[in-house]
Structures are given as structure tokens and as C-alpha cells.
Amino acid sequence: MENHSQSHEEGPARPAPHYVEIKTVLEAAIACGKLPEGTILTEGAVAKLFGTSRTPVRTAFSHMLDDNQLRRFDGRGFVVGGQTGPEPQRRRLTSAMLGLDPEERKEPKPDSAELIAHSFQTSLTNALPFGMYRINEQAAADHFGVSRNIVRDLLGRFRDRGLVRKDLRSHWVVGPLTARDVSHFFAIRAKLEPLALLESAPLTPSSEIERMRAALDTALKNPAAMGTATYEALEQDMHVRLLENSPNPHLLRMVGQTQLALVVNSIFAANIGASPFGIALREHEMILEFIIRGSHGAAAQSLEEHIRLSAERTRQRLIAISVFPHPDLPRYLQRHTP
């Protein structure tokens, strides 16, 4: 009689998940001493050497943490060795340390979650000012052509950022964004963003500041002709790129969570045009001028005042948006009544 289990074994073997390969290589490097105990590992550095995204690296780290092969390092990575290992040391991670051939390294390939993350997040954010929507996991998976687990994983990440939540029936929902929410978000932003600016501005290359100022000057020469894309790029310069060099990742994470309300201005600009934002951009100009002069404290104070003034303008725009036609949202977003 034919041995069915053997016949199955003779079929083509499915490749192991990428995280398994990463975990195996790291374990071998640790075992042979090429990757010494105490070495600090970060997702980005390991992903670069393997030519992959950070997701499988994160999974490999999680398994190795559970196996007591790694320990956490102050929220900024992991350290080789268990809880009783040597003191953490920063070493430049190389292909040789992991036994990899540097000639075979490829450019990182984004996984399915990263390929759809931006589009998925944008659709959810655009729904915020128009009411509460239920998110259908299976419909979203079908829309993007991925597994439901990938959609669920992304929704978990979005919940950590404060974008989505679960209702009393454990359904994923997004919105509504209310005038009270706008007030609360902007009140927090007015405190956190100036802190990030104080840390980040001195570390931002002068060439980058000059680029921001040149882009702003070009827009201010003819604000009536400024397009939505230009306005959003200038907003990114002021509220993301100018802050991103802060060495405090927890501060930057909280800043990002409070910037959800900025979608109101983006939707308003898409429907009305960007010309009403000329006053706000003049405030940007003052902040950049202080930074160019090296007056970072004055720049932080100006940014705080800019955010306070923007709060009322954004609340008024949210009221105006209520009469705009609802956007053409994907089918996985369904109007929801709690």
C-alpha cells in the first residue's frame, strides 16, 4: 500500500516564512560568536542586511524575545542575550557578522501590509470628518487582494495610533471627528510640537531648512494659484519633517497621534482650493525665519501660537465640511450608527 504521508513529503516544499530564515540566521550567528552578546539590534539595520521589510524582522525578534535570546533595550531595539547578559553595546552590524554574502543583498521589498498601508490609512482618515463608519475586514481584504490577517494587523497598528477603535460589539469603527476632538487634539499639539521642534531644529541640516524656506517663498508669491498638493507638502515640512529629527521616539509617536485633525484642512483644501491658507503659511514663514537665525526658543513659541490660531480656523472648516458632498469611500467602509 502506498504510504500517503510519504507521497505528500515528495511534493514541492513550501518556502518557510521569511521571519523563520531571519531568526535562523541570527541564532546561528549568536551560537558561533559572530554576533556577540550585548550587541544592540534594530529592525531597520537587520532588515537592510536581509533586503526585506521590517515586518518579518519584527516577528523574528518577537520569537527570539520569547525564547530569551534577546531582551528589550529601552524601547529602541533589542540586545543579544537574555536578561542576565552583558551591558548593551552599539556595534555596526555587518553582513559578515550574520554570515551573509554582501553581494547577494537586495533592496528591501515591501511586504503586503506595507504595500497597502498608506492607501488603507488614507481612506480611513478621509472618512473621519463625515461621521462614523464600520470597517468590514473581509471586504477590505478583498479590496486590496490580501489576507484578512494582514488587514487585522494593520487595523491593530491604526488603533495604536488612535485612528480606529472597536465599538461595544467589537466591530472596527473610524470617526466621527467632532469639533471637540479638534479642540483637544490641537491643545495637545500646541504643547508637544514645540517640544519636538526644540529638539529637532538644531539637528536639521541647514540645507533642508533652506529648501523648506524656498518652497514656502515660492508658494507665498502667488497663494491664489497654490494647489492642494503644494499646500500639503508645506504642512508636511512644518509639522513632520521639521520635527522628525527629535531623538525622542515616544514624543514623535504622540505628536503623530494628535495630527489626525489635520485631515480637515486637507479635505477643505481639496474642495475649496488652497488659497485660504495664506495666513497660516505666513505663520510658517515666521517660524522658519527664527530657525534660520538660530532662535529656536522663539521658533517654538511661534509654532505654539500658530497651532492655537489654527485650532479655531480648523473648527470653522469642520463646520463647513458638514455641507460638502460625502466622499466616494471604498465599500469596506459602511455608515455606522452606534
Side-chain angles (χ1 to χ4, degrees), residues 118 211 215-216 218-219 223-238 241 265-277 281 284:
H118 178 72
R211 181 201 61 76
L216 181 60
T218 299
M226 180 174 55
T228 304
T230 299
Y231 163 71
E232 291 183 344
L234 296 174
E235 283 282 274
Q236 285 284 310
D237 279 348
M238 179 58 55
R241 299 184 186 95
N265 294 327
S266 295
I267 293 173
F268 189 85
N271 284 269
I272 303 298
S275 57
F277 297 92
L281 295 183
H284 285 203

Side-chain angles (χ1 to χ4, degrees), residues 38-54:
T39 301
I40 298 171
L41 298 178
T42 61
E43 293 177 6
V46 175
K48 185 176 182 180
L49 290 177
F50 279 92
T52 185
S53 69
R54 296 189 180 199

Side-chain angles (χ1 to χ4, degrees), residues 163-205:
L163 176 57
V164 303
R165 66 187 186 283
K166 284 195 172 184
D167 64 9
L168 295 177
R169 297 182 180 180
S170 293
H171 295 147
W172 289 107
V173 295
V174 59
L177 181 68
T178 66
R180 177 176 293 183
D181 292 329
V182 169
S183 296
H184 290 167
F185 281 134
F186 273 75
I188 298 171
R189 288 182 60 214
K191 296 301 182 183
L192 296 187
E193 289 194 27
L195 289 177
L197 177 69
L198 283 171
E199 295 182 344
S200 179
L203 302 177
T204 302

